[in-house]
Amino acid sequence: QKEVEQDPGPLSVPEGAIVSLNCTYSNSAFQYFMWYRQYSRKGPELLMYTYSSGNKEDGRFTAQVDKSSKYISLFIRDSQPSDSATYLCAMSANSGGSNYKLTFGKGTLLTVNP
Amino acid sequence: GAVVSQHPSRVICKSGTSVKIECRSLDFQATTMFWYRQFPKQSLMLMATSNEGSKATYEQGVEKDKFLINHASLTLSTLTVTSAHPEDSSFYICSARGGNARAKNIQYFGAGTRLSVL
């Protein structure tokens, strides 16, 4: 079993739809959870950062972490064609000994159709 | 968010030559910098981790003599692909993390360098 599982998609939705992206993980030591957006041929851009369980909202984006289920989600409201990208979940343990390495999901390719 | 600059964005070189890629943190001191490689439609593969003033730590299977990493200051790390061959063609991305206690686990990424070896 991989440490982080993420459905690669592709996911195609109409403009204005609510998008739900998810990752599951197996390492209970993970405490820091991030979502990155990566446009084609570009580096990943940090969207959301959450520590431990709970919800965090930023504009049209909401990140949820459920540590009891080892499940994290990213919701995008009122999706726009400009949201079309690959979304990567990433997580790390609170471990300076590991240099705070991130473990990534495979990424979900999202297309928002006008 | 913090800004990481990576240069060049695109490089084409002949087989056997060496290529240097620079990664700079522009508005924060990067305690640690990371170098990744990404194949088409795949996630990021960590190549090595470097702390300022220390030797880089390479992931299993990554040739340290092939991919030379220098982290000479808190704002600059370089990756040199030595004697490049066509199989080294890939998308290389750097990232940096700072020492800020609240955000110590966050990595900020450069825009990536697309290397093509002819």
Side-chain angles (χ1 to χ4, degrees):
Chain A
Q1 181 189 12
K2 291 191 174 181
E3 274 197 298
V4 178
E5 300 274 5
Q6 182 177 10
D7 186 341
L11 180 61
S12 182
V13 302
E15 183 175 354
I18 297 174
V19 177
S20 172
L21 304 167
N22 312 291
C23 289
T24 59
Y25 63 95
S26 58
N27 188 345
S28 58
F30 288 146
Q31 294 191 58
Y32 298 86
F33 304 91
M34 283 142 275
W35 285 95
Y36 288 89
R37 176 174 63 194
Q38 186 177 23
Y39 291 113
S40 182
R41 300 174 181 251
K42 296 291 184 184
E45 169 195 9
L46 180 68
L47 278 179
M48 301 288 283
Y49 166 71
T50 310
Y51 169 68
S52 195
S53 284
N55 294 356
K56 188 172 185 178
E57 188 173 319
D58 184 1
R60 296 185 296 111
F61 299 92
T62 299
Q64 288 185 351
V65 174
D66 181 349
K67 290 189 70 180
S68 61
S69 302
K70 297 190 177 69
Y71 187 88
I72 69 170
S73 301
L74 177 71
F75 297 96
I76 307 174
R77 291 182 298 280
D78 187 24
S79 56
Q80 303 294 311
S82 58
D83 295 328
S84 298
T86 296
Y87 289 80
L88 296 155
C89 64
M91 42 200 85
S92 86
N94 185 19
S95 172
S98 70
N99 271 315
Y100 305 101
K101 287 183 189 177
L102 292 180
T103 302
F104 287 90
K106 281 193 168 184
T108 300
L109 177 61
L110 171 68
T111 301
V112 181
N113 301 299
Chain B
V3 179
V4 175
S5 173
Q6 186 173 343
H7 179 80
S9 59
R10 180 88 163 96
V11 59
I12 302 171
C13 69
K14 291 183 179 179
S15 186
T17 59
S18 293
V19 174
K20 181 184 280 189
I21 303 169
E22 286 191 353
C23 182
R24 294 179 184 273
S25 57
L26 297 186
D27 54 358
F28 69 103
Q29 292 188 324
T31 309
T32 312
M33 285 186 166
F34 304 83
W35 288 94
Y36 294 85
R37 186 171 179 176
Q38 188 175 35
F39 293 102
K41 299 187 179 182
Q42 304 228 352
S43 191
L44 287 75
M45 181 186 78
L46 180 65
M47 298 174 66
T49 303
S50 72
N51 291 299
E52 183 263 342
S54 302
K55 286 186 179 179
T57 302
Y58 290 81
E59 295 298 301
Q60 192 172 11
V62 177
E63 298 178 58
K64 61 181 181 181
D65 294 330
K66 174 75 167 174
F67 300 100
L68 299 179
I69 291 170
N70 184 284
H71 192 163
S73 76
L74 281 172
T75 59
L76 174 65
S77 176
T78 59
L79 168 69
T80 301
V81 183
T82 61
S83 186
H85 287 94
E87 58 266 29
D88 299 323
S89 299
S90 193
F91 192 52
Y92 294 88
I93 313 174
C94 72
S95 72
R97 59 167 284 272
N100 182 314
R102 287 189 63 188
K104 58 187 175 185
N105 292 72
I106 297 178
Q107 291 182 26
Y108 297 94
F109 286 84
T113 297
R114 186 160 303 279
L115 171 64
S116 298
V117 184
L118 304 178

